[in-house]
Amino acid sequence: MELRSAQIADVQQKLADVDGDERVRFWDGFSLIEAKSALKWLMKEVVATRVRCGVKEREVVEFTKQVSQERQQASEAAGIACEAQEHQDQMILINQRQQEAEDKKALNVSDEQKTPPKEQRTGDQNSDQSPRGEQPQDGVEVPPETSFFSIPDIAPSPNKRY
């Protein structure tokens, strides 16, 4: 066992001598002034690299903010486009209802021209009745029935931006 330990220690000593000799031989080619100037150059490069890295990081942050703002603007524009489409659909529906009401009115006018007036047909209706056949109350005539063709209130919502 002691022989083995002695062999290991001898091999370790030989390795230490070889490593030390190679290190000394490498640095023998440089003077202290050259090593000092090389170290200064390396430090300048490290500083310049760190500065460039910091500038790039700030650019990334700015671009990230810009992208998020553009995404927000795009989503707002999409919302406005959707609202505009809804408004256009409502206007088309209103125009269709108005056209249907005009067509119905024109049809009623043509039917009235073909049929005799109500007073001539029934003969027994009271003259103080309203067109719907109801008695006026306190001299106020009852308005005709409201049609489902009336125009809906489409005022803009105060909470929405256009």
Side-chain angles (χ1 to χ4, degrees), residues 154-160 162:
I154 56 170
S157 172
N159 297 334
K160 293 183 181 178
Y162 293 102

Side-chain angles (χ1 to χ4, degrees), residues 17-142:
D17 290 340
V18 170
D19 284 341
D21 290 340
E22 286 181 19
R23 288 183 191 163
V24 171
R25 280 187 250 146
F26 176 77
W27 288 107
D28 283 343
F30 298 106
S31 68
L32 188 59
I33 295 171
E34 290 173 335
K36 190 175 179 181
S37 65
L39 187 59
K40 283 183 180 179
W41 178 82
L42 284 173
M43 290 305 289
K44 285 180 183 178
E45 287 298 313
V46 167
V47 169
T49 304
R50 301 258 316 172
V51 168
R52 284 193 303 265
C53 183
V55 168
K56 295 297 181 185
E57 286 175 355
R58 278 182 280 180
E59 288 177 357
V60 166
V61 168
E62 290 173 7
F63 286 138
T64 303
K65 287 179 182 178
Q66 186 179 5
V67 165
S68 67
Q69 288 174 349
E70 288 179 4
R71 283 182 180 166
Q72 183 180 8
Q73 289 173 351
S75 68
E76 288 174 1
I80 290 171
C82 182
E83 289 174 1
Q85 182 64 35
E86 289 175 5
H87 177 71
Q88 186 177 8
D89 292 344
Q90 288 178 351
M91 293 304 293
I92 290 171
L93 183 62
I94 289 169
N95 288 338
Q96 288 175 347
R97 289 180 178 174
Q98 286 176 345
Q99 185 64 38
E100 289 174 2
E102 289 174 4
D103 291 346
K104 187 176 180 180
K105 186 176 181 181
L107 183 64
N108 286 342
V109 168
S110 67
D111 284 346
E112 287 178 4
Q113 290 175 354
K114 291 179 183 177
T115 60
K118 289 182 181 180
E119 296 166 353
Q120 293 176 359
R121 282 187 297 166
T122 57
D124 61 343
Q125 287 185 349
N126 213 343
S127 62
D128 59 346
Q129 288 183 342
S130 69
R132 290 187 351 195
E134 299 175 6
Q135 293 291 334
Q137 298 173 354
D138 299 329
V140 178
E141 180 141 347
V142 177

